[in-house]
Amino acid sequence: MKAVRFVGVGKPAEVVDIPKPEPKAGEVLVKIGGAGVCHSDLHVLQRGIGIDRPFTLGHENAGWVAALGSGVKNWKEGDAVAVYGPWGCGYCHACTQSFENYCENWKPGKAYGGGLGTDGGMAEYMIVPSERLLVSLGKLNPKDAAPLSDAALTPYHAIKRALPLLTPETTVVVLGVGGLGHMAVQLLKCLSSARLVAGDVDEAKLAMAKKLGADLTVNTKNPDAAEKINQFTGPRKATFVLDCVGVQPTVTLATQIVGMNSQLTVAGLGGGKIIMDGSEVPFGCMVSTPYWGSRAELIEVLALAESGKIHAEVTHYKLEDTPSVYHKLDEGMIRGRAVIVP
Ligand code: ZN
Ligand code: ZN
């Protein structure tokens, strides 16, 4: 079967032929219906994740159960499923609460999940090591729902942590309206009554944010972006800033627009630094860098999608085209999410 492979740090992804895998005891073989193309893949390709061996990329996966290893009880062939991405030990305190994204037994050199150190979903088939890592898609179509397993789950997890602060007179700011950000805008519209500001450097992405329900959109390339947002929020400033990019310009902007007793959450892996010496971050502001989301939260995200309250804006591509899609993503040319359909 064809697969898109990581072959080494600093090298482009390669489309190669590899054998179709067979599920061993406890494993499930999933026929891939869609694999989302995520910005994290660029980090994997360009900076690496401490794992040198080649593996198949793709950590936002959905498809249909194709074969069951012995002992698998809760699924049958043909079931439409999303693959829960962070693969923990399944038994530690975090995993017991379904927060496998915070598994205590993760170690350097160990894969985070399929597509992140071990074979993922940019292939015709993938092996999922345990049936607990599958979630039913219900009526959703794998090629449209695949990105929800990360691009929606990650902001959903971040937003849930801030929800108690988001009363109707507060303002939320989402920075970056790419894959995560365009889901964050929709999630905030259906989960909270706070006013919503979206910032991006790309006017087309801001137009999408407006269409998805943002009350104000601001081009963050403009030097008066912070001033504009602060005028809108008033003296209280933003109660929750969700930075879906995480580069230095966005984290700096975030510290300029966030209020006291607030949350500043950096979900993007852009490497921006925040100084915590009292000069940048207001009093009472909780700064955090959540990672992905829990399995239970994936069930919640899929329920929102199934009821039509959120959807990923997707463009479908052939598996062979993946290297050029990565190039487009790196250039900021992808709107919403690109999905590889093998
Ligand atoms: Zn991702
Ligand atoms: Zn664990």
Side-chain angles (χ1 to χ4, degrees):
M1 64 173 190
K2 287 222 177 336
V4 182
R5 305 276 285 177
F6 164 87
V7 292
V9 177
K11 295 182 184 158
E14 280 180 18
V15 180
V16 296
D17 265 305
I18 57 169
K20 179 181 164 185
E22 300 271 338
K24 298 198 222 41
E27 296 178 342
V28 180
L29 182 72
V30 173
K31 180 173 165 53
I32 295 296
V37 182
C38 177
H39 222 277
S40 312
D41 292 340
L42 297 179
H43 297 303
V44 172
L45 290 163
Q46 293 163 1
R47 295 191 224 149
I49 47 169
I51 292 169
D52 295 332
R53 59 182 178 269
F55 57 87
T56 302
L57 289 155
H59 59 267
E60 301 185 351
N61 305 309
W64 302 271
V65 172
L68 306 173
S70 63
V72 175
K73 291 195 175 63
N74 294 295
W75 303 98
K76 60 180 191 315
E77 274 180 43
D79 284 345
V81 289
V83 179
Y84 175 65
W87 295 350
C89 69
Y91 299 99
C92 72
H93 188 266
C95 285
T96 300
Q97 298 170 85
S98 99
F99 282 104
E100 302 203 20
N101 49 323
Y102 299 131
C103 175
E104 295 158 22
N105 291 315
W106 180 82
K107 291 178 196 68
K110 184 177 179 288
Y112 293 91
L116 295 168
T118 188
D119 288 345
M122 286 186 181
E124 289 160 58
Y125 294 89
M126 84 179 274
I127 291 284
V128 177
S130 165
E131 61 177 319
R132 78 168 192 281
L133 301 167
L134 298 175
V135 174
S136 173
L137 274 187
K139 298 193 298 267
L140 297 169
N141 187 327
K143 71 180 197 291
D144 298 321
L148 299 172
S149 64
D150 178 14
L153 177 57
T154 298
Y156 183 80
H157 173 56
I159 291 164
K160 264 185 93 175
R161 292 151 55 104
L163 275 186
L165 292 176
L166 303 186
T167 47
E169 79 295 359
T170 59
T171 309
V172 175
V173 181
V174 174
L175 296 178
V177 193
L180 268 69
H182 90 291
M183 296 308 312
V185 168
Q186 297 176 62
L187 289 163
L188 282 159
K189 285 311 279 186
C190 62
L191 294 174
S192 97
S193 48
R195 300 186 305 166
L196 178 54
V197 178
D200 201 290
V201 295
D202 180 333
E203 287 295 334
K205 289 175 183 167
L206 290 173
M208 178 162 66
K210 193 88 197 166
K211 208 179 88 195
L212 295 172
D215 299 303
L216 174 75
T217 57
V218 175
N219 192 318
T220 51
K221 251 195 320 215
N222 297 336
D224 64 345
E227 200 185 313
K228 253 199 181 136
I229 295 169
N230 289 339
Q231 258 169 24
F232 183 80
T233 51
R236 187 159 173 187
K237 301 180 109 178
T239 295
F240 176 41
V241 178
L242 177 56
D243 182 354
C244 296
V245 189
V247 294
Q248 195 59 54
T250 57
V251 297
T252 299
L253 176 62
T255 60
Q256 292 164 347
I257 58 177
V258 76
M260 290 189 284
N261 192 26
S262 61
Q263 283 200 30
L264 194 176
T265 300
V266 183
L269 302 171
K273 292 186 170 61
I274 296 173
I275 298 169
M276 296 293 287
D277 66 354
S279 65
E280 279 196 355
V281 177
F283 289 128
C285 173
M286 290 179 273
V287 178
S288 71
T289 54
Y291 176 69
W292 223 325
S294 74
R295 213 169 67 237
E297 287 169 338
L298 179 57
I299 294 170
E300 294 161 24
V301 162
L302 294 175
L304 281 174
E306 213 180 341
S307 66
K309 295 193 178 82
I310 60 166
H311 68 281
E313 296 266 346
V314 296
T315 312
H316 299 124
Y317 293 90
K318 285 193 275 207
L319 190 129
E320 295 77 10
D321 297 336
T322 312
S324 70
V325 177
Y326 278 134
H327 186 69
K328 283 196 187 108
L329 183 67
D330 209 10
E331 301 283 301
M333 307 289 284
I334 301 285
R335 286 187 55 211
R337 208 44 143 193
V339 175
I340 303 304
V341 181

